[in-house]
């Protein structure tokens, strides 16, 4: 018989690196990490937003194989600071204004630490009672705070891409085509399914169609108006043409806050079409949804309560660390019918009356994401969140006024939230030359290091985007950015071509 005491003694020997840290060691190492985080969050504005590295730089410094024996924590932290941090694009930087931000607020960071310590997988209610019930409650807090009526079922996914895919899968299940059991391949009885969305909608709509077997060519991108909003009349026309050709409308994806311009689709008009045509309506409010916390901005969201599903990302503009995407569905039974699959080893006594969140999507494993949303909503309070969101929209409005007042600059789209699209357009410079000029201006500003902006194309013209959403971005950062843009424009316009 094996001497268990000698085996345990060998495993607990401090020279044995296969053991975990002791509580004392963990405390010491964790405090080193926390102190680094404190210094980083206080001083990251002094770092270049974009790393000054080239593809392959980090890989060239990493060993080809894992170490055979464990290494000291001090060595890990040293390599973290010397190898990893110099290659990081700093999304927490106040000058990060390239894309819709995902800010790791301090309450959210603390929650992430606790989430990792608990390491709870709430796939079943039984495997995560507190995680399951907190998720359902805190997502309902968000629903109420945004002014959506009661009766929605809300839960958390990782990103809006998954939330949109699940919504389109539910839309497909609602047609009772037997796709869950029989699939789509080789079926002559199955009509071609069509998804309609704006010409400016997020690429996740197309990716969802690819993943679900609908096919990218069956995503119909509807023409937009002068303010980059989906045209309801063109939507009706596309549906009418498709029905006449024997195609089956599946879903319409409307966007409140498109990625390129933050435009707002006319959801009420689109909802009326969906109700008349009996087509699923999914609303992508992943970026702009938090603005609905402010009653004065709810006019942008008129009609979204008539949708079948809505996605809002707290990790974009509610200062929750990535990832945290909330999906609201009006009919959770349809979504559950599309995905629920319970093998014997996951059956529990509670499954007939408790919510098992694994039933509402493709993932079995589920992180305890609701804890960080709970921490953020409670630490800031709704009042604090509203104040910060309004401040960021005020900054964007002021920046838009600077652009509008400048002789050689022009606004390229309305700015209803915190994104401003603009372009350097001096008189006498044709559109093609101005495209190249704006591209060089953007590159110059980003190379300087204190700010990171991005671009899109509007009406086929190169357009610079400034997206304010980082918790730490203030008017002074935007003011410095405006000065850099003007200096770069002057230098590029007067320099050699």
């Amino acid at each position: 018989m094996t001497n268990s005491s000698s085996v345990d003694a060998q495993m607990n020997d401090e020279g044995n690196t296969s053991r975990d840290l002791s509580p004392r060691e963990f405390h010491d190492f964790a405090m080193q990490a926390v102190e680094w985080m404190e210094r980083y969050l206080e001083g990251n504005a002094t770092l270049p937003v974009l790393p000054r590295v080239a593809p392959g730089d980090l890989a060239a410094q990493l060993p080809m194989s894992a170490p055979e024996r464990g290494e000291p924590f001090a060595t890990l932290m040293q390599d973290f600071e010397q190898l990893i941090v110099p290659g990081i694009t700093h999304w927490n930087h106040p000058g990060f204004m390239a894309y819709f931000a995902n800010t790791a607020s301090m309450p959210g960071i603390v929650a992430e630490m606790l989430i990792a310590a608990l390491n709870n997988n709430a796939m079943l209610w039984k495997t995560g009672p507190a995680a399951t019930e907190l998720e359902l409650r805190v997502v309902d807090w968000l629903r109420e705070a945004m002014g959506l009526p009661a009766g929605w079922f809300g839960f958390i996914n990782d990103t809006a891409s998954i939330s949109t895919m699940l919504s389109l899968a539910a839309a497909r299940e609602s047609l009772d085509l037997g796709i869950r059991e029989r699939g789509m391949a080789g079926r002559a009885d199955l009509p071609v399914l069509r998804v309609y969305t704006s010409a400016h909608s997020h690429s996740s709509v197309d990716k969802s169609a690819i993943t679900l077997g609908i096919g990218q060519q069956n995503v119909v991108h509807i023409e937009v108006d002068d303010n980059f909003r989906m045209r309801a009349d063109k939507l009706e026309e596309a549906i009418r043409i498709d029905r006449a050709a024997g195609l089956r409308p599946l879903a319409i994806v409307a966007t409140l806050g498109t990625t390129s311009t933050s435009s707002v689709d006319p959801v009420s008009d689109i909802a009326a079409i969906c109700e008349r045509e009996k087509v699923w309506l999914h609303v992508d409010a992943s970026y702009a949804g938090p603005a609905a916390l402010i009653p004065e901005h709810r006019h942008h969201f008129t009609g979204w309560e008539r949708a079948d599903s809505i996605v809002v990302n707290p990790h974009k503009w509610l200062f929750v660390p990535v990832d945290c995407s909330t999906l609201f569905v009006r009919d959770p039974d349809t979504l559950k019918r599309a995905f629920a699959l319970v093998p014997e080893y996951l059956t529990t006594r509670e499954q007939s009356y408790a919510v098992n969140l694994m039933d509402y999507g493709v993932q079995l494993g589920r992180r305890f994401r609701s804890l960080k949303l709970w921490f953020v909503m409670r630490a800031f309070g709704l009042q604090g969140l509203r104040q910060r969101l309004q401040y960021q929209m005020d900054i964007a409005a002021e920046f838009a006024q600077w652009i509008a007042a400048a002789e050689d600059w022009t606004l390229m789209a309305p700015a209803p939230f915190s994104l401003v699209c603009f372009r350097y357009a001096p008189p006498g410079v044709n559109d093609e030359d101005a495209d190249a000029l704006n591209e060089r201006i953007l590159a110059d500003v980003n190379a300087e290091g204190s700010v990171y902006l991005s671009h899109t194309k509007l009406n086929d013209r190169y357009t610079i985007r400034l997206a304010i959403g980082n918790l730490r971005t203030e008017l002074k950062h935007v003011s410095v950015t405006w000065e850099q843009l003007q200096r770069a424009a002057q230098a590029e316009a007067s320099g050699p071509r």
Side-chain angles (χ1 to χ4, degrees), residues 369-402:
R369 297 183 183 93
S370 59
L371 188 70
K372 55 188 175 181
L373 179 57
W374 192 49
F375 268 40
V376 168
M377 292 187 75
R378 294 185 65 192
F380 284 89
L382 294 179
Q383 182 183 57
L385 293 172
R386 292 187 189 109
Q387 288 174 342
R388 197 67 192 185
L389 293 171
Q390 185 61 61
Y391 174 65
Q392 294 183 336
M393 285 187 273
D394 290 344
I395 295 174
E398 186 154 350
F399 178 77
Q401 289 174 4
W402 298 342

Side-chain angles (χ1 to χ4, degrees), residues 81 89-90 123 236 257 304 333 335 352 437 444-445 485 490:
E81 292 196 61
T89 297
H90 296 284
M123 54 186 183
E236 285 188 294
W304 71 334
D333 290 341
L335 182 63
S352 62
L437 185 56
D444 290 347
V445 170
L485 284 162
Q490 185 176 14

Side-chain angles (χ1 to χ4, degrees), residues 99-130:
Y99 306 106
F100 296 140
N102 58 55
T103 309
S105 64
M106 292 186 188
I109 292 170
V110 172
E112 283 282 20
M113 295 166 66
L114 296 173
I115 290 167
L118 291 172
N119 198 34
N120 189 236
N121 181 356
M123 54 186 183
L124 302 167
W125 177 89
K126 194 175 189 68
T127 65

Side-chain angles (χ1 to χ4, degrees), residues 195-207:
V195 175
Y196 309 86
T197 191
S198 161
H200 282 268
S201 67
H202 194 268
S203 59
S204 60
V205 180
D206 292 72
K207 283 194 173 185

Side-chain angles (χ1 to χ4, degrees), residues 171-227:
R172 189 177 63 178
E173 182 64 26
S174 72
L175 298 181
D176 292 324
L177 298 173
I179 290 173
R180 174 186 167 113
E181 297 80 13
R182 299 169 58 198
M184 298 179 69
R187 289 183 55 183
D189 65 312
L190 193 64
V192 174
L193 303 177
R194 303 282 269 184
V195 175
Y196 309 86
T197 191
S198 161
H200 282 268
S201 67
H202 194 268
S203 59
S204 60
V205 180
D206 292 72
K207 283 194 173 185
S208 295
I210 293 168
T211 304
L212 293 171
I214 295 165
Q216 189 176 12
Q217 71 177 15
N218 290 312
V219 178
V220 183
H221 291 278
I222 304 299
E223 184 179 336
V224 296
D225 64 17
D226 291 342
N227 289 325

Side-chain angles (χ1 to χ4, degrees), residues 46-61:
T46 63
L47 301 172
V49 188
L50 284 171
R52 296 187 171 102
V53 294
D57 282 359
L58 174 61
Q61 300 177 74

Side-chain angles (χ1 to χ4, degrees), residues 352-368:
S352 62
Y353 57 90
V355 172
N356 292 326
L357 288 170
M358 70 172 190
D359 291 340
Y360 299 93
V362 294
Q363 301 101 324
L364 180 61
R366 304 192 87 261
R367 295 183 64 235
F368 190 2

